[in-house]
Amino acid sequence: MANPPIPDPAPVDPAPASGTLAGWSVAVTADRRREDLVGLLRRRGARVVEAPTMSTLPLADDEQLRAAVEECVAAPPDLVAVTTGVGFRGWLEAAAEWGRGEALKVALAGSALVCRGSKATGAVRAAGLREAYTAPTESNDDVLAWLLARDLAGRRVAVQEHGAPMPEFSAALRAAGAEVLPVPVYRWGPPADPTPARRLAAAVAAGEVHAVTFTSQPAVEGFFAQAREAGRYDEVVAALRDGRVLAVAIGALCARPLDAAGVPSVHPERGRLASMVRTLEEELPRGRG
């Protein structure tokens, strides 16, 4: 991939004239932690295009979440799948708003807390609780494998969902004899303003950005959805497939919707923003295609 000057496809933040990513235009599709990623890129000289492709909707008033809190307090789960740090914190915060925060902590203190990675573990410890296991690959597959290696017959398993229902995960637990309690803490939805995402779709189709970053599967799916709404899906996929625009995911799980669309992507071994930026620093000068 050459590194020529390109027109801005959307308003960009000013970036320094020097740095490892100077001269490259990088799109950020993240909702949560967008400012962190933008800052990392800008400090390295990248010209950043901000285009959130999804939004995170808290469910503090959701009846299903409140019912899950009450169920956990009344009959503490034997095991808890903690899938995200932000979700676990949101669960406790919602319970606290309803005057059930301490009761929920007491209930969870007797549970085996199974964490999907270090962020989930950090949230558990910050609440004064201890984890039974942390998935080394930060994947739900590891969490599920750990749970299924135990005798789950007649045991209650709370599953803290992360943005969407987890029917296959829950079905596998039920097939092993567990009673599953889904805990929906937040939901993913479309971006509050779809205009930047649709502008980004047009820019990618025209090859007017050098790379697009994704920090979650819903961000990829949301981008493809907005590309379809803009009538640009086929052009977007073609530009990503032929290497005109580099697709960068934060990890292998995040890249799955890209894989399903036949889009090649790169990602770091560890799912961290800083690691993803280092991957960009390595891959953009190396070229694609």
Side-chain angles (χ1 to χ4, degrees), residues 122-136:
V124 165
R125 293 182 181 180
L129 302 169
R130 297 297 297 182
E131 75 284 359
Y133 173 74
T134 298

Side-chain angles (χ1 to χ4, degrees), residues 1-258:
M1 182 187 294
N3 184 13
I6 58 175
D8 293 343
V12 296
D13 292 317
S18 62
T20 55
L21 293 175
W24 300 102
S25 180
V26 180
V28 172
T29 62
D31 175 33
R32 291 190 298 110
R33 300 198 66 193
R34 182 169 72 251
E35 292 182 2
D36 294 340
L37 180 53
V38 168
L40 287 170
L41 293 168
R42 194 183 300 154
R43 285 194 293 274
R44 288 159 176 79
R47 299 164 63 236
V48 180
V49 180
E50 295 187 50
T53 58
M54 43 82 73
S55 59
T56 306
L57 310 173
L59 299 181
D61 298 324
D62 186 80
E63 292 182 5
Q64 189 178 356
L65 174 57
R66 189 160 192 165
V69 169
E70 294 299 337
E71 283 193 52
C72 284
V73 170
D78 299 296
L79 302 108
V80 180
V82 183
T83 60
T84 63
V86 66
F88 189 76
R89 288 192 297 272
W91 184 9
L92 295 182
E93 288 167 2
E97 288 182 13
W98 300 322
R100 305 296 273 166
E102 289 305 314
L104 179 59
K105 284 186 184 181
V106 170
L108 297 181
S111 307
L113 302 174
V114 187
C115 300
R116 185 184 70 91
S118 59
K119 293 179 184 177
T121 298
V124 165
R125 293 182 181 180
L129 302 169
R130 297 297 297 182
E131 75 284 359
Y133 173 74
T134 298
T137 63
E138 303 189 351
S139 75
N140 285 329
D141 292 343
D142 257 0
V143 171
L144 181 59
W146 191 93
L147 290 169
L148 293 178
R150 273 76 196 157
D151 180 6
L152 297 181
R155 307 190 77 184
R156 286 170 53 80
V157 183
V159 178
Q160 177 249 303
E161 298 174 345
H162 55 103
M166 300 169 62
E168 295 178 0
F169 190 102
S170 296
L173 296 175
R174 291 191 180 99
E179 176 189 350
V180 179
L181 173 62
V183 182
V185 183
Y186 56 87
R187 285 284 180 262
W188 289 311
D193 179 5
T195 303
R198 294 181 187 178
R199 284 183 185 154
L200 176 60
V204 170
E208 294 177 343
V209 292
H210 295 114
V212 183
T213 61
F214 301 100
T215 58
S216 67
Q217 288 190 25
V220 181
E221 293 160 354
F223 178 55
F224 284 158
Q226 294 304 321
R228 288 189 183 94
E229 290 292 327
R232 300 277 191 171
Y233 176 78
D234 290 341
E235 298 169 77
V236 163
V237 169
L240 294 170
R241 282 177 180 168
D242 67 20
R244 279 178 289 153
V245 180
L246 175 65
V248 186
I250 200 165
L253 295 178
C254 173
R256 284 181 178 176
L258 296 166

